[in-house]
């Protein structure tokens, strides 16, 4: 097991969730896409909103793909400041 596996298992135990139902790669990819193509603080907020949608019945792979596509199409002028040296 990896540290990520251990963490997900522990969090799921704490929240009474099934770790097998956690789409870790999809969530990590989504967070990466938002952090790099929109803005870094948007990644955890998007992950939270993704979780709300999945909790309300959205299919995880579809929701993650839709949000990643939205991030990929996000207009640069609305994203991070390109002159910011800490921006991706």
């Amino acid at each position: 097991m990896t540290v990520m596996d251990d963490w997900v298992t522990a969090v799921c135990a704490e929240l009474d969730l099934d770790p097998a139902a956690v789409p870790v790669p999809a969530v990590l990819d989504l967070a990466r896409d938002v952090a790099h193509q929109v803005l870094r603080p948007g990644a955890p907020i998007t992950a939270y909103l993704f979780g709300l949608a999945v909790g309300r019945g959205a299919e995880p792979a579809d929701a993650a793909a839709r949000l990643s596509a939205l991030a990929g199409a996000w207009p640069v002028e609305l994203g991070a400041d390109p002159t910011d040296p800490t921006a991706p």
Side-chain angles (χ1 to χ4, degrees):
M1 284 186 95
T2 67
V3 173
M4 179 64 76
D5 294 333
D6 292 342
W7 174 248
V8 169
T9 299
V11 171
C12 285
E14 192 68 27
L15 299 176
D16 194 28
L17 298 171
D18 177 8
V22 180
V24 172
V27 174
L28 293 176
D29 289 347
L30 173 59
R32 179 204 59 223
D33 292 346
V34 173
H36 290 199
Q37 298 172 20
V38 182
L39 77 162
R40 284 189 177 113
I45 299 301
T46 303
Y48 174 79
L49 295 171
F50 169 78
L52 286 178
V54 170
R56 291 182 178 167
E59 199 280 315
D62 177 59
R66 289 173 46 208
L67 293 175
S68 287
L70 179 64
W74 197 251
V76 173
E77 63 272 9
L78 296 178
D81 179 358
T83 63
D84 180 354
T86 64

